């Protein structure tokens, strides 16, 4: 399938417009006095973008919540924002075609929320769960079940069998455009890997006029290889798909790419908040505007403006003019790094988006390689210089020797 | 004010009909395989009664939830039932008159839910919090805030000042009938006691035509004296009130009574589930149908039919024909008690309500006084006889000596 840029079609009554986002991680570091509200701030921006762009629906790819049991404040914040932005008088123009008792059979109201006569929904939200907000405990429920029970969100892609899964698509139509939306909530990678290998994952397809449908699959798994079976190779996925929205991986690689083998393209929106101080999280963060017209589609990137800035730099002391034999080398190395951070802060200052809701203090990370006779300096004293200007003074410096970088902690995505 | 029985007025367009309940304790013993669903079962019955009786609103007096942080299953169950029973096309005929930004100013949507154009509410629920579900943690929120944010419940009576509280009534009108509804969520008894004593609790009143209003106050505190200041004497309450709905006390004493000093009457609905094996919880449980017509009102009792039966008996071994000097007296005492329990089970069997949702196994408690030379028998062996017929085999027997009854544990209400 080709992706053509036909802006004139964007507002056509046949165009399905979808705001696509993943890994919003509501509640991340909520107890931090500086960063505690970041996730909700950007969730609000995402919902506002959906409204401004007049989308037909919002599609979320898992990890809406950071904690499996989010605090009351976080659930309350999510509910408040959804009620504020996704309810209202704008009519939803998508016709829901598939059997809702199948698509939402796991919920007490197996009905898409905008067709419930008791709810006035302007933008329906559809979400799968991620590994952070997966179903657990009594009743095997997750936080999305609370949003679903209260009518604020359509939770799909919940399959409980550990042996065989048949994924039934949500079939939607707007004018001549037909969307088959497949979803699969996060499952342990190894287990899903084996289920795919053993041909126990089946994607059901509409019986008639198969070629009229645009087939989108949203999944939340490891995409990059972490061991033999601890990821899902793209090649496992069905080739009738047109687009795969890949959640879980936090680096924004939203522009759809082909692996050269499969016919489908993969878009990886990435997280809307940095939950680790790793390279991938330093990239600009975007959500997608997926436009489907007939059997053509494209994704426009929408840059998020409220994301806290994150600047990272690698410093190899041996590559500088510093001499490890100097009497006061520790002091000199510290001064060198101080200057580097000041420089990152200036850069951040120059690159602010101008959005009033963007937090002011950036995240800073310098990874200092002290191989070849250098010594680490005192991190705590170093951070004292930046308590008023950096969001994460306590963990801004990471010391390592050559080839130790893999030791850096990476919290689960 | 007189209470007159005028059934003809019950369906008058001027009659405000209110389903009154307190202490529903959702989630109580939810992990117990036998009793785990009791609280939700009876909450459903209460909501069904509200619907069948065509009430204008539901008023809850606190402790809707048993745990401050209820499980996802319990919150999910509450949301599901509220959405099922309290949304729909029946128009709400109550005109809301007071300033909603004052009444609900502590919530993100300071608006009574049935006036929100995005929600189709058929029965608005109004609730204060109890001591079990009071606001705590980040943001000082409680479970009712989640129900409020999602539009399923109107949470009122939340005052955070520890020094001075001005209670603004919810003013509602239906035809010629005017209701001023005052609410005060649970506060530590000692603190509230002192605030009352120091005249720091003020009940605001409508400026005009004060006498046209029926004034109802819902409160969730100790009513019976537990120490000098660890309760709220009825005499502390304003005498312009007509009716006080007293939550927290679990014994059903719903028929309004006067203390002979104040002009108002007090109705204590009691809990809808037994959360302790104490005398007060053995009484039949009711909710109230409060009918207000002009300035006259009455409360009809509605007996709850789905409450698990609870039979209790005191056995004083010294008062029986048993002889403590008998060689096999332990065996004989046990046999005597076995027969007593069998008799309680027969009684329970004869007194079933006939409601298909009433759980089958009753709660049983025998309090055995073994003073004057008797010995306790083996409780564990005793309970083995009743694992299939009693809901609480493990704690059905309580041994004590004379004057030790106060030692029996009573969980907080
Ligand atoms: Mn994830
Ligand atoms: Mn994630
Ligand atoms: Mn209580
Ligand atoms: Mn209680």
């Amino acid at each position: 399938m080709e992706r053509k840029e036909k802006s004139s079609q964007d507002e056509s009554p046949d165009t399905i417009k979808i705001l696509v986002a993943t890994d919003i991680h509501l509640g991340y570091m909520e107890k931090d006095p500086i960063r505690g509200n970041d996730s909700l701030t950007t969730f609000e921006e995402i919902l506002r973008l959906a409204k401004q762009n007049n989308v037909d629906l919002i599609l979320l790819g898992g990890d809406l919540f950071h904690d499996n049991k989010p605090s009351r404040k976080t659930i309350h914040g999510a509910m408040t924002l959804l009620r504020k932005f996704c309810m209202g008088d704008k009519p939803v123009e998508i016709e829901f075609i598939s059997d809702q008792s199948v698509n939402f059979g796991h919920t007490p109201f197996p009905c898409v929320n905008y067709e419930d006569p008791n709810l006035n929904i302007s933008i329906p939200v559809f979400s799968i769960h991620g590994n952070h907000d997966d179903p657990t405990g009594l009743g095997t429920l997750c936080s999305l079940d609370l949003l679903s029970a209260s009518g604020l969100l359509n939770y799909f892609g919940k399959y409980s069998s550990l042996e065989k899964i048949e994924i039934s698509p949500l079939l939607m139509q707007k004018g001549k455009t037909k969307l088959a939306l497949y979803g699969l909530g996060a499952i342990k990678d190894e287990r899903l890997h084996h289920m795919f290998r053993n041909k126990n994952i089946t994607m059901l397809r509409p019986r008639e006029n198969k070629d009229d449908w645009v087939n989108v699959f949203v999944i939340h798994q490891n995409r990059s290889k972490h061991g033999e079976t601890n990821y899902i190779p793209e090649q496992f996925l069905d080739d009738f798909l047109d687009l795969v929205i890949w959640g879980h991986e936090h680096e924004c690689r939203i522009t759809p790419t082909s692996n050269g083998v499969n016919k489908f393209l993969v878009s990886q929106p990435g997280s809307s908040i940095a939950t680790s101080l790793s390279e991938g999280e330093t990239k600009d963060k975007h959500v997608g505007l997926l436009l489907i017209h007939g059997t053509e589609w494209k994704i426009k990137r929408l840059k998020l403006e409220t994301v806290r800035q994150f600047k990272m730099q690698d410093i190899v002391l041996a590559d500088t003019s510093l001499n490890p034999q100097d009497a006061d080398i520790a002091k000199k190395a510290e001064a060198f790094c101080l200057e580097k951070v000041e420089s990152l802060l200036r850069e951040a200052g120059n690159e602010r988006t101008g959005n009033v809701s963007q937090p002011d203090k950036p995240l800073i990370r310098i990874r200092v390689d002290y191989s070849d006779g250098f010594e680490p300096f005192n991190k705590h004293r170093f951070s004292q210089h930046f308590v008023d200007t950096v969001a994460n003074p306590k963990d801004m410096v990471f010391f390592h020797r050559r080839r130790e970088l893999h030791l850096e902690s990476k919290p689960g995505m």
Side-chain angles (χ1 to χ4, degrees), chain A residues 23 25 62-63 131-132 220 248 250 271 413:
Chain A
D23 297 87
H25 282 264
D63 286 0
N131 56 315
H132 277 259
H220 188 103
H248 184 62
H250 280 202
S271 71
M413 293 174 291

Side-chain angles (χ1 to χ4, degrees), chain A residues 48-258:
Chain A
R48 198 181 297 278
L49 280 171
K51 195 169 177 179
Q52 283 167 351
N53 282 281
N54 199 30
V55 302
D56 294 297
L57 62 97
I58 294 172
L59 175 60
L60 303 180
D63 286 0
L64 174 58
F65 293 96
H66 183 72
D67 293 305
N68 189 277
K69 292 182 183 169
S71 74
R72 211 137 52 197
K73 176 170 178 290
T74 292
I75 301 252
H76 186 262
M79 287 177 158
T80 301
L81 289 172
L82 287 169
R83 182 170 166 196
K84 182 172 172 193
F85 284 97
C86 301
M87 299 193 93
D89 281 337
K90 174 183 172 295
V92 177
E93 290 167 16
I94 300 273
E95 198 186 339
F96 204 97
I97 293 172
S98 51
D99 183 345
Q100 301 180 26
S101 68
V102 172
N103 296 145
F104 308 110
H106 56 95
T107 72
F109 299 91
C111 164
V112 69
N113 66 348
Y114 68 87
E115 286 191 2
D116 185 326
N118 295 326
L119 301 169
N120 196 29
I121 301 293
S122 53
I123 311 178
V125 181
F126 295 83
S127 185
I128 61 168
H129 65 258
N131 56 315
H132 277 259
D133 49 8
D134 62 328
T136 57
L138 269 182
T140 324
L141 299 168
C142 69
S143 300
L144 301 183
D145 280 300
L146 298 184
L147 302 180
S148 159
S150 56
L152 293 168
L153 180 142
N154 301 290
Y155 173 26
F156 74 117
K158 182 180 185 179
Y159 296 95
S160 51
S161 168
L162 304 177
E163 280 148 35
K164 202 173 169 59
I165 292 176
E166 287 189 338
I167 305 179
S168 285
L170 279 56
L171 301 179
M172 301 184 230
Q173 183 161 4
K174 185 180 175 190
K176 68 175 185 185
T177 303
K178 293 177 175 181
L179 167 65
L181 178 59
Y182 296 81
L184 180 60
I187 294 179
K188 215 166 167 290
D189 284 296
E190 292 84 350
R191 171 164 292 143
L192 185 58
H193 190 106
H194 284 113
M195 286 167 89
F196 266 116
R197 264 201 198 287
N198 299 331
K199 309 280 180 220
N200 285 327
I201 305 290
T202 314
M203 316 272 274
L204 301 178
R205 299 192 62 188
R207 284 209 188 81
E208 287 158 30
N209 306 318
K210 283 190 172 58
D211 296 339
D212 293 354
W213 296 83
V214 171
N215 300 293
V216 175
F217 182 32
V218 57
I219 183 173
H220 188 103
Q221 302 288 152
N222 280 334
R223 186 180 175 200
S224 52
K225 194 168 176 171
H226 303 254
E228 277 313 303
T229 62
N230 196 7
Y231 76 115
I232 305 302
E234 291 178 16
Q235 291 79 356
F236 280 9
L237 306 185
D238 266 299
D239 237 346
F240 76 85
L241 293 171
D242 296 297
L243 169 65
V244 176
I245 303 288
W246 208 296
H248 184 62
E249 303 280 356
H250 280 202
E251 180 174 340
C252 178
R253 288 162 53 194
I254 198 168
T255 303
T257 53
S258 164

